[in-house]
Amino acid sequence: MASSSSEDAAASVPTPVKIIVAGGFGAGKTTMVASVSEIPPLSTEEVLTEASTGVDDLSGVEHKKTTTVALDFGRITISPRHVLYLFGTPGQERFWFMWDDLARGAIGTVVLVDTRRLETSFAAVDFFERRKIPFVVAVNCFDNAPRYTPDEIREALVVPDGVPIVMCDARQRDSSKIALIRLVKHAMTVVPQPA
């Protein structure tokens, strides 16, 4: 009987699925994690101080007052058998050393892009492409930001044809969920299935 109850307990534990939300400084990663998390998200946001002057490029995001200094964390239960764990990366170059640890074990990544600062997306695209971690590009449609077609974004970021590009609003739960769904579907098509 004891083995039966331990098997039942093991069967009731949901399978964790790790997803990374990455992108440049100010792209909306913290906002995306917070918009979809079913729990109050863990955020390591700190106030930008004068110490970051000359270090953090605020052009295009001059009104930004805080920044992630370690990670963001959220959770979404998608079924009794599966739970998504979301990890948002810090965007500044001085914190990129954490990306390897954060990405370990992830099924894929949403690379969040801000068209006002498209050049800040290259590092994230390159990082996940080089490590062969499936990713989608989610263009965060900020108010008053330049609008481009997915083909224009693909060309500007030199994103391979097989990588999905989705438009989203990281503030909106449903919009962020669509980006996550596209990632999971994409990851299922490129990750080798167990034999």
Side-chain angles (χ1 to χ4, degrees), residues 11-187:
S12 68
V13 175
T15 301
V17 178
K18 183 178 184 181
I19 291 177
I20 303 300
V21 179
F25 175 62
K29 301 173 297 292
T30 299
T31 301
M32 177 177 263
V33 171
S35 76
V36 295
S37 181
E38 68 190 18
I39 60 171
L42 167 69
S43 178
T44 58
E45 288 278 289
E46 292 294 334
V47 174
L48 285 168
T49 66
E50 288 188 25
S52 72
T53 303
V55 177
D56 294 326
D57 178 10
L58 293 176
S59 57
V61 290
E62 292 84 4
H63 299 293
K64 187 167 177 56
K65 301 292 182 218
T66 61
T67 188
T68 300
V69 296
L71 62 97
D72 298 307
F73 174 78
R75 182 185 76 200
I76 307 169
T77 302
I78 57 175
S79 76
R81 295 182 50 220
H82 297 93
V83 176
L84 297 182
Y85 292 102
L86 305 175
F87 292 83
T89 66
Q92 301 99 309
E93 185 175 351
R94 68 182 181 275
F95 297 125
W96 289 351
F97 70 91
M98 291 187 254
W99 287 18
D100 274 320
D101 288 333
L102 288 172
R104 191 170 292 117
I107 66 153
T109 303
V110 172
V111 174
L112 206 54
V113 170
D114 178 354
T115 61
R116 300 169 302 180
R117 299 160 46 93
L118 208 52
E119 70 282 357
T120 65
S121 306
F122 287 116
V125 169
D126 183 61
F127 179 90
F128 294 102
E129 195 171 48
R130 286 178 184 263
R131 286 157 182 80
K132 298 184 179 5
I133 297 172
F135 68 95
V136 300
V137 171
V139 180
N140 193 4
C141 298
F142 285 95
D143 298 335
N144 303 316
R147 300 288 190 239
Y148 300 102
T149 68
D151 287 338
E152 289 171 322
I153 297 290
R154 184 178 307 284
E155 184 177 341
L157 293 177
V158 194
V159 174
D161 287 340
V163 174
I165 295 180
V166 298
M167 302 299 173
C168 76
D169 182 337
R171 300 169 296 184
Q172 303 297 321
R173 180 179 180 84
D174 288 341
S175 186
S176 294
K177 280 172 46 178
I178 288 169
L180 292 170
I181 290 167
R182 287 293 300 274
L183 170 63
V184 171
K185 287 182 177 179
H186 175 61

